[in-house]
Amino acid sequence: MKFETHSKQLKSSNTIMKHSLFILLLFILNSSLFYGQKNLVPENYKILDEINGDLDTDGVHEKVIVYDMTTTEIDNEGIDREIVIFKKDSLNNWIIWQRSVKATGNSREGGMMGDPYEGIEIKKGVLVISESGGSSWKWGHTDKYRFQNNSFELIGYSSHYGRICDYWGAFDFTISTQKIVFKKEFEKCEGDDDQTIYKTQNETFRYKLTEKILLQNRKEIEVKITTPKYKEEIYL
């Protein structure tokens, strides 16, 4: 009887030890994954902007960080950016979920107006990225991404562009409904501050993209659209 009791105690101890080792192994594995993911952000990266919000409607906030990919500009070539989206793991640690070097422009792409980066927002689960630039001719645009089909897809785009005493154009493209609202105002100036609009173009039409634009391939794809009524060329 003593031998059987001792044997049962040994088996129980072995089971507890195996269970403890399994938990320890899981902890080490999760910690390694977390720190491995964390270290995928290079040390020379510098945070430009940061925002928290729920991007996949699971009730838990994600973290979006826009990084300068270097702290020092070389030969006036500007600084490239990367957007990294972090998500909480089962241990409540931040791990990298999505990332892209194609969703924002270089710090020199704003022309005479300087850095084109305006900011990021999260509105009703949609990631919004805005940029602008130019000199006498000015431009600005906003991208809207929603997490669907396991990726961040561009679902909306708005743009404005033009010059004082020449024209101002703007359009809004709701990609999910294929609807584009376009407007262009032509103006003339007879004095320093006397701007007169002498012609206006307005049209609403539908356009279907032939391929999806994602956070990861945004700058690789340029779409030219010709408006059906006024034959104006607009770019996405």
Side-chain angles (χ1 to χ4, degrees):
M1 289 293 293
K2 290 183 178 180
F3 177 78
E4 289 180 0
T5 302
H6 182 66
S7 178
K8 288 180 179 179
Q9 288 176 343
L10 282 175
K11 289 181 179 179
S12 178
S13 298
N14 287 336
T15 301
I16 293 171
M17 184 176 293
K18 288 179 181 179
H19 184 66
S20 299
L21 286 173
F22 179 71
I23 293 175
L24 179 61
L25 182 61
L26 281 178
F27 175 78
I28 293 172
L29 180 60
N30 276 282
S31 298
S32 299
L33 285 172
F34 166 65
Y35 287 112
Q37 290 275 16
K38 184 178 179 181
N39 290 334
L40 288 176
V41 177
E43 292 183 359
N44 64 325
Y45 272 31
K46 178 183 177 182
I47 294 177
L48 174 66
D49 204 353
E50 181 177 336
I51 193 171
N52 285 27
D54 187 3
L55 288 168
D56 58 356
T57 65
D58 64 351
V60 180
H61 282 197
E62 283 72 46
K63 183 189 297 290
V64 183
I65 300 180
V66 181
Y67 288 98
D68 282 339
M69 295 173 68
T70 180
T71 57
T72 306
E73 183 177 347
I74 301 174
D75 298 330
N76 296 320
E77 292 183 356
I79 296 174
D80 292 328
R81 271 75 188 255
E82 181 171 13
I83 292 180
V84 182
I85 303 175
F86 296 86
K87 191 173 182 63
K88 288 289 187 72
D89 67 3
S90 59
L91 296 177
N92 208 37
N93 293 316
W94 290 113
I95 60 172
I96 292 175
W97 181 35
Q98 303 271 338
R99 64 195 306 168
S100 174
V101 295
K102 303 293 185 181
T104 57
N106 181 281
S107 63
R108 289 275 180 173
E109 290 181 2
M112 294 295 292
M113 292 182 65
D115 193 336
Y117 181 79
E118 286 192 356
I120 52 174
E121 298 177 273
I122 295 175
K123 295 181 177 180
K124 297 181 179 179
V126 175
L127 177 61
V128 182
I129 305 172
S130 300
E131 295 179 308
S132 65
S135 51
S136 60
W137 288 93
K138 294 177 173 57
W139 59 268
H141 61 242
T142 299
D143 286 344
K144 299 177 181 180
Y145 297 90
R146 176 181 290 131
F147 185 71
Q148 54 191 30
N149 303 315
N150 294 318
S151 56
F152 280 92
E153 296 182 10
L154 189 70
I155 62 162
Y157 176 80
S158 59
S159 173
H160 61 272
Y161 51 91
R163 181 174 66 172
I164 294 175
C165 304
D166 203 319
Y167 67 80
W168 292 102
F171 71 95
D172 186 80
F173 187 8
T174 306
I175 296 171
S176 55
T177 62
Q178 304 174 13
K179 182 180 178 180
I180 296 179
V181 178
F182 170 79
K183 182 177 182 178
K184 189 173 183 179
E185 295 180 340
F186 296 85
E187 60 183 36
K188 59 183 178 181
C189 298
E190 297 177 355
D192 292 338
D193 298 313
D194 186 12
Q195 297 164 234
T196 303
I197 298 173
Y198 67 91
K199 185 172 69 172
T200 300
Q201 295 176 345
N202 289 287
E203 61 179 305
T204 300
F205 60 98
R206 297 192 180 277
Y207 183 88
K208 184 177 181 180
L209 292 177
T210 57
E211 60 181 313
K212 291 180 181 179
I213 300 177
L214 308 176
L215 189 73
Q216 284 79 9
N217 68 2
R218 178 64 180 99
K219 297 293 182 180
E220 296 175 356
I221 299 175
E222 182 181 66
V223 179
K224 183 176 78 171
I225 303 169
T226 302
T227 69
K229 183 177 180 180
Y230 294 105
K231 306 304 178 184
E232 293 282 349
E233 293 182 351
I234 56 178
Y235 294 86
L236 181 63

Short mmCIF file of all heavy atoms in Angstrom, two decimals, residues 152-192:
data_model
loop_
_atom_site.label_atom_id
_atom_site.label_comp_id
_atom_site.label_asym_id
_atom_site.label_seq_id
_atom_site.Cartn_x
_atom_site.Cartn_y
_atom_site.Cartn_z
N PHE A 152 -5.97 46.04 -44.97
CA PHE A 152 -6.49 47.40 -44.95
C PHE A 152 -6.68 47.87 -46.39
O PHE A 152 -5.72 48.13 -47.11
CB PHE A 152 -5.55 48.33 -44.19
CG PHE A 152 -5.70 48.24 -42.70
CD1 PHE A 152 -4.91 47.36 -41.97
CD2 PHE A 152 -6.65 48.99 -42.04
CE1 PHE A 152 -5.06 47.25 -40.60
CE2 PHE A 152 -6.81 48.90 -40.66
CZ PHE A 152 -6.00 48.02 -39.94
N GLU A 153 -7.96 47.97 -46.80
CA GLU A 153 -8.30 48.36 -48.16
C GLU A 153 -8.67 49.83 -48.21
O GLU A 153 -9.35 50.35 -47.32
CB GLU A 153 -9.47 47.52 -48.68
CG GLU A 153 -9.16 46.04 -48.80
CD GLU A 153 -10.34 45.25 -49.37
OE1 GLU A 153 -11.30 45.89 -49.84
OE2 GLU A 153 -10.28 44.01 -49.36
N LEU A 154 -8.25 50.50 -49.28
CA LEU A 154 -8.64 51.89 -49.50
C LEU A 154 -10.13 51.91 -49.85
O LEU A 154 -10.54 51.33 -50.85
CB LEU A 154 -7.82 52.50 -50.64
CG LEU A 154 -7.97 54.01 -50.84
CD1 LEU A 154 -7.34 54.79 -49.70
CD2 LEU A 154 -7.35 54.44 -52.17
N ILE A 155 -10.92 52.59 -49.02
CA ILE A 155 -12.38 52.64 -49.27
C ILE A 155 -12.84 54.04 -49.65
O ILE A 155 -13.98 54.22 -50.09
CB ILE A 155 -13.17 52.15 -48.05
CG1 ILE A 155 -12.91 53.07 -46.84
CG2 ILE A 155 -12.84 50.70 -47.73
CD1 ILE A 155 -13.93 52.93 -45.75
N GLY A 156 -11.96 55.03 -49.48
CA GLY A 156 -12.36 56.39 -49.81
C GLY A 156 -11.15 57.27 -50.06
O GLY A 156 -10.06 57.03 -49.51
N TYR A 157 -11.34 58.27 -50.91
CA TYR A 157 -10.24 59.18 -51.27
C TYR A 157 -10.83 60.55 -51.60
O TYR A 157 -11.83 60.65 -52.32
CB TYR A 157 -9.47 58.64 -52.47
CG TYR A 157 -8.38 59.56 -52.98
CD1 TYR A 157 -7.15 59.60 -52.34
CD2 TYR A 157 -8.58 60.36 -54.11
CE1 TYR A 157 -6.13 60.43 -52.82
CE2 TYR A 157 -7.56 61.19 -54.57
CZ TYR A 157 -6.34 61.21 -53.92
OH TYR A 157 -5.35 62.03 -54.37
N SER A 158 -10.23 61.59 -51.07
CA SER A 158 -10.64 62.95 -51.42
C SER A 158 -9.40 63.76 -51.77
O SER A 158 -8.32 63.55 -51.22
CB SER A 158 -11.41 63.61 -50.27
OG SER A 158 -10.62 63.68 -49.10
N SER A 159 -9.58 64.69 -52.72
CA SER A 159 -8.44 65.46 -53.23
C SER A 159 -8.88 66.87 -53.56
O SER A 159 -10.01 67.11 -54.00
CB SER A 159 -7.88 64.78 -54.49
OG SER A 159 -6.89 65.58 -55.10
N HIS A 160 -7.97 67.83 -53.34
CA HIS A 160 -8.18 69.20 -53.81
C HIS A 160 -6.86 69.73 -54.36
O HIS A 160 -5.78 69.34 -53.90
CB HIS A 160 -8.70 70.10 -52.68
CG HIS A 160 -7.77 70.22 -51.51
ND1 HIS A 160 -7.78 69.34 -50.44
CD2 HIS A 160 -6.77 71.11 -51.24
CE1 HIS A 160 -6.86 69.68 -49.58
NE2 HIS A 160 -6.22 70.75 -50.03
N TYR A 161 -6.95 70.62 -55.33
CA TYR A 161 -5.74 71.08 -56.01
C TYR A 161 -6.08 72.36 -56.79
O TYR A 161 -7.23 72.63 -57.14
CB TYR A 161 -5.23 70.01 -56.98
CG TYR A 161 -6.29 69.48 -57.91
CD1 TYR A 161 -6.52 70.05 -59.16
CD2 TYR A 161 -7.12 68.43 -57.52
CE1 TYR A 161 -7.52 69.58 -60.00
CE2 TYR A 161 -8.12 67.95 -58.34
CZ TYR A 161 -8.31 68.53 -59.59
OH TYR A 161 -9.31 68.07 -60.40
N GLY A 162 -5.05 73.14 -57.09
CA GLY A 162 -5.26 74.34 -57.90
C GLY A 162 -4.37 75.50 -57.52
O GLY A 162 -3.41 75.36 -56.75
N ARG A 163 -4.73 76.67 -58.06
CA ARG A 163 -3.94 77.88 -57.83
C ARG A 163 -4.86 79.10 -57.85
O ARG A 163 -5.82 79.16 -58.65
CB ARG A 163 -2.86 78.01 -58.91
CG ARG A 163 -1.97 79.24 -58.77
CD ARG A 163 -0.84 79.23 -59.76
NE ARG A 163 -1.32 79.37 -61.15
CZ ARG A 163 -0.51 79.55 -62.18
NH1 ARG A 163 0.82 79.57 -62.00
NH2 ARG A 163 -1.00 79.67 -63.39
N ILE A 164 -4.58 80.06 -57.00
CA ILE A 164 -5.34 81.30 -56.97
C ILE A 164 -5.27 81.98 -58.33
O ILE A 164 -4.23 82.01 -58.99
CB ILE A 164 -4.78 82.25 -55.88
CG1 ILE A 164 -5.03 81.64 -54.49
CG2 ILE A 164 -5.43 83.62 -55.96
CD1 ILE A 164 -4.41 82.45 -53.37
N CYS A 165 -6.40 82.52 -58.75
CA CYS A 165 -6.53 83.23 -60.02
C CYS A 165 -6.41 82.30 -61.23
O CYS A 165 -6.15 82.77 -62.35
CB CYS A 165 -5.52 84.38 -60.15
SG CYS A 165 -5.62 85.57 -58.80
N ASP A 166 -6.57 81.03 -61.03
CA ASP A 166 -6.54 80.06 -62.12
C ASP A 166 -7.75 79.12 -61.98
O ASP A 166 -8.77 79.32 -62.61
CB ASP A 166 -5.23 79.29 -62.12
CG ASP A 166 -4.90 78.71 -63.48
OD1 ASP A 166 -5.83 78.21 -64.13
OD2 ASP A 166 -3.74 78.75 -63.90
N TYR A 167 -7.63 78.09 -61.18
CA TYR A 167 -8.77 77.23 -60.90
C TYR A 167 -8.52 76.46 -59.61
O TYR A 167 -7.38 76.32 -59.15
CB TYR A 167 -9.05 76.26 -62.06
CG TYR A 167 -7.97 75.22 -62.28
CD1 TYR A 167 -7.90 74.07 -61.48
CD2 TYR A 167 -7.04 75.35 -63.32
CE1 TYR A 167 -6.93 73.12 -61.69
CE2 TYR A 167 -6.07 74.40 -63.53
CZ TYR A 167 -6.01 73.28 -62.72
OH TYR A 167 -5.06 72.34 -62.91
N TRP A 168 -9.62 75.94 -59.05
CA TRP A 168 -9.56 75.03 -57.91
C TRP A 168 -10.42 73.82 -58.23
O TRP A 168 -11.59 73.95 -58.58
CB TRP A 168 -10.06 75.69 -56.63
CG TRP A 168 -9.15 76.78 -56.14
CD1 TRP A 168 -9.34 78.12 -56.28
CD2 TRP A 168 -7.91 76.61 -55.48
NE1 TRP A 168 -8.28 78.80 -55.74
CE2 TRP A 168 -7.39 77.90 -55.23
CE3 TRP A 168 -7.17 75.49 -55.06
CZ2 TRP A 168 -6.17 78.11 -54.59
CZ3 TRP A 168 -5.96 75.70 -54.42
CH2 TRP A 168 -5.47 76.99 -54.19
N GLY A 169 -9.81 72.65 -58.15
CA GLY A 169 -10.54 71.41 -58.39
C GLY A 169 -10.60 70.56 -57.13
O GLY A 169 -9.72 70.64 -56.27
N ALA A 170 -11.65 69.76 -57.02
CA ALA A 170 -11.79 68.86 -55.87
C ALA A 170 -12.69 67.70 -56.26
O ALA A 170 -13.60 67.86 -57.07
CB ALA A 170 -12.37 69.60 -54.68
N PHE A 171 -12.41 66.55 -55.69
CA PHE A 171 -13.32 65.42 -55.89
C PHE A 171 -13.26 64.49 -54.69
O PHE A 171 -12.26 64.45 -53.95
CB PHE A 171 -13.04 64.68 -57.19
CG PHE A 171 -11.77 63.87 -57.21
CD1 PHE A 171 -11.77 62.52 -56.90
CD2 PHE A 171 -10.56 64.47 -57.57
CE1 PHE A 171 -10.60 61.78 -56.94
CE2 PHE A 171 -9.39 63.73 -57.60
CZ PHE A 171 -9.41 62.38 -57.30
N ASP A 172 -14.34 63.79 -54.50
CA ASP A 172 -14.46 62.81 -53.41
C ASP A 172 -14.90 61.48 -54.02
O ASP A 172 -15.90 61.43 -54.74
CB ASP A 172 -15.47 63.29 -52.37
CG ASP A 172 -15.50 62.37 -51.17
OD1 ASP A 172 -14.62 62.48 -50.31
OD2 ASP A 172 -16.43 61.54 -51.10
N PHE A 173 -14.14 60.44 -53.73
CA PHE A 173 -14.39 59.12 -54.31
C PHE A 173 -14.71 58.15 -53.18
O PHE A 173 -13.85 57.82 -52.36
CB PHE A 173 -13.15 58.67 -55.08
CG PHE A 173 -13.32 57.38 -55.87
CD1 PHE A 173 -14.54 56.76 -56.02
CD2 PHE A 173 -12.21 56.80 -56.47
CE1 PHE A 173 -14.69 55.58 -56.74
CE2 PHE A 173 -12.33 55.63 -57.21
CZ PHE A 173 -13.57 55.02 -57.34
N THR A 174 -15.96 57.70 -53.13
CA THR A 174 -16.34 56.64 -52.19
C THR A 174 -16.20 55.32 -52.92
O THR A 174 -17.07 54.92 -53.71
CB THR A 174 -17.79 56.83 -51.70
OG1 THR A 174 -17.92 58.15 -51.15
CG2 THR A 174 -18.13 55.81 -50.63
N ILE A 175 -15.09 54.66 -52.69
CA ILE A 175 -14.74 53.48 -53.48
C ILE A 175 -15.73 52.34 -53.26
O ILE A 175 -16.06 51.59 -54.20
CB ILE A 175 -13.30 53.05 -53.15
CG1 ILE A 175 -12.33 54.15 -53.59
CG2 ILE A 175 -12.95 51.72 -53.82
CD1 ILE A 175 -10.91 53.94 -53.14
N SER A 176 -16.23 52.22 -52.06
CA SER A 176 -17.14 51.12 -51.75
C SER A 176 -18.46 51.22 -52.54
O SER A 176 -19.08 50.21 -52.87
CB SER A 176 -17.44 51.07 -50.26
OG SER A 176 -17.94 52.32 -49.81
N THR A 177 -18.87 52.45 -52.88
CA THR A 177 -20.10 52.63 -53.66
C THR A 177 -19.80 53.03 -55.11
O THR A 177 -20.73 53.23 -55.90
CB THR A 177 -21.00 53.72 -53.03
OG1 THR A 177 -20.30 54.97 -53.02
CG2 THR A 177 -21.36 53.35 -51.60
N GLN A 178 -18.51 53.20 -55.43
CA GLN A 178 -18.04 53.57 -56.78
C GLN A 178 -18.50 54.98 -57.19
O GLN A 178 -18.53 55.31 -58.38
CB GLN A 178 -18.52 52.55 -57.82
CG GLN A 178 -18.11 51.12 -57.50
CD GLN A 178 -18.70 50.11 -58.45
OE1 GLN A 178 -19.24 50.44 -59.51
NE2 GLN A 178 -18.60 48.83 -58.10
N LYS A 179 -18.82 55.81 -56.23
CA LYS A 179 -19.36 57.15 -56.52
C LYS A 179 -18.29 58.22 -56.43
O LYS A 179 -17.56 58.30 -55.44
CB LYS A 179 -20.50 57.48 -55.56
CG LYS A 179 -21.17 58.82 -55.80
CD LYS A 179 -22.28 59.06 -54.79
CE LYS A 179 -22.94 60.42 -54.99
NZ LYS A 179 -24.03 60.66 -54.00
N ILE A 180 -18.20 59.07 -57.47
CA ILE A 180 -17.27 60.20 -57.49
C ILE A 180 -18.06 61.49 -57.64
O ILE A 180 -18.89 61.62 -58.55
CB ILE A 180 -16.25 60.08 -58.64
CG1 ILE A 180 -15.37 58.83 -58.44
CG2 ILE A 180 -15.39 61.34 -58.73
CD1 ILE A 180 -14.35 58.62 -59.53
N VAL A 181 -17.78 62.44 -56.76
CA VAL A 181 -18.36 63.78 -56.86
C VAL A 181 -17.23 64.75 -57.19
O VAL A 181 -16.29 64.90 -56.42
CB VAL A 181 -19.06 64.20 -55.55
CG1 VAL A 181 -19.62 65.62 -55.68
CG2 VAL A 181 -20.17 63.22 -55.18
N PHE A 182 -17.33 65.39 -58.36
CA PHE A 182 -16.26 66.25 -58.87
C PHE A 182 -16.74 67.69 -59.00
O PHE A 182 -17.88 67.95 -59.41
CB PHE A 182 -15.80 65.73 -60.24
CG PHE A 182 -14.88 66.66 -60.97
CD1 PHE A 182 -13.54 66.74 -60.66
CD2 PHE A 182 -15.36 67.48 -62.00
CE1 PHE A 182 -12.69 67.59 -61.33
CE2 PHE A 182 -14.52 68.35 -62.68
CZ PHE A 182 -13.19 68.40 -62.35
N LYS A 183 -15.85 68.62 -58.65
CA LYS A 183 -16.17 70.05 -58.79
C LYS A 183 -14.90 70.82 -59.16
O LYS A 183 -13.82 70.55 -58.64
CB LYS A 183 -16.74 70.62 -57.49
CG LYS A 183 -17.14 72.08 -57.59
CD LYS A 183 -17.77 72.57 -56.29
CE LYS A 183 -18.21 74.02 -56.40
NZ LYS A 183 -18.86 74.50 -55.15
N LYS A 184 -15.07 71.77 -60.09
CA LYS A 184 -13.94 72.61 -60.50
C LYS A 184 -14.43 74.04 -60.73
O LYS A 184 -15.42 74.25 -61.44
CB LYS A 184 -13.29 72.07 -61.77
CG LYS A 184 -11.98 72.74 -62.14
CD LYS A 184 -11.32 72.02 -63.32
CE LYS A 184 -9.97 72.62 -63.67
NZ LYS A 184 -9.31 71.90 -64.79
N GLU A 185 -13.75 74.99 -60.10
CA GLU A 185 -14.11 76.39 -60.24
C GLU A 185 -12.97 77.16 -60.90
O GLU A 185 -11.83 77.10 -60.44
CB GLU A 185 -14.41 77.02 -58.87
CG GLU A 185 -15.62 76.44 -58.19
CD GLU A 185 -15.90 77.06 -56.83
OE1 GLU A 185 -14.94 77.66 -56.26
OE2 GLU A 185 -17.03 76.97 -56.35
N PHE A 186 -13.29 77.86 -61.99
CA PHE A 186 -12.30 78.68 -62.69
C PHE A 186 -12.45 80.12 -62.21
O PHE A 186 -13.56 80.64 -62.14
CB PHE A 186 -12.52 78.61 -64.20
CG PHE A 186 -12.33 77.23 -64.76
CD1 PHE A 186 -13.36 76.30 -64.74
CD2 PHE A 186 -11.11 76.85 -65.30
CE1 PHE A 186 -13.19 75.03 -65.26
CE2 PHE A 186 -10.93 75.58 -65.83
CZ PHE A 186 -11.97 74.66 -65.80
N GLU A 187 -11.34 80.74 -61.88
CA GLU A 187 -11.41 82.11 -61.37
C GLU A 187 -10.38 83.01 -62.06
O GLU A 187 -9.36 82.56 -62.57
CB GLU A 187 -11.20 82.13 -59.86
CG GLU A 187 -9.87 81.59 -59.38
CD GLU A 187 -9.76 81.58 -57.86
OE1 GLU A 187 -10.76 81.33 -57.17
OE2 GLU A 187 -8.64 81.84 -57.36
N LYS A 188 -10.68 84.29 -62.04
CA LYS A 188 -9.77 85.30 -62.56
C LYS A 188 -9.60 86.40 -61.53
O LYS A 188 -10.45 86.60 -60.67
CB LYS A 188 -10.30 85.87 -63.87
CG LYS A 188 -11.67 86.52 -63.78
CD LYS A 188 -12.14 86.98 -65.15
CE LYS A 188 -13.54 87.59 -65.08
NZ LYS A 188 -14.03 88.03 -66.41
N CYS A 189 -8.50 87.10 -61.64
CA CYS A 189 -8.19 88.16 -60.68
C CYS A 189 -7.90 89.45 -61.44
O CYS A 189 -7.04 89.50 -62.32
CB CYS A 189 -6.98 87.78 -59.84
SG CYS A 189 -7.24 86.30 -58.83
N GLU A 190 -8.61 90.48 -61.05
CA GLU A 190 -8.40 91.79 -61.67
C GLU A 190 -7.58 92.71 -60.78
O GLU A 190 -7.04 93.71 -61.24
CB GLU A 190 -9.76 92.43 -61.99
CG GLU A 190 -10.56 91.63 -63.01
CD GLU A 190 -11.92 92.23 -63.27
OE1 GLU A 190 -12.27 93.21 -62.57
OE2 GLU A 190 -12.63 91.73 -64.16
N GLY A 191 -7.48 92.37 -59.51
CA GLY A 191 -6.66 93.13 -58.57
C GLY A 191 -5.92 92.15 -57.68
O GLY A 191 -5.96 90.93 -57.88
N ASP A 192 -5.24 92.68 -56.68
CA ASP A 192 -4.45 91.83 -55.80
C ASP A 192 -5.32 90.82 -55.06
O ASP A 192 -4.94 89.68 -54.84
CB ASP A 192 -3.67 92.68 -54.80
CG ASP A 192 -2.57 93.49 -55.49
OD1 ASP A 192 -2.15 93.08 -56.59
OD2 ASP A 192 -2.16 94.52 -54.93
#
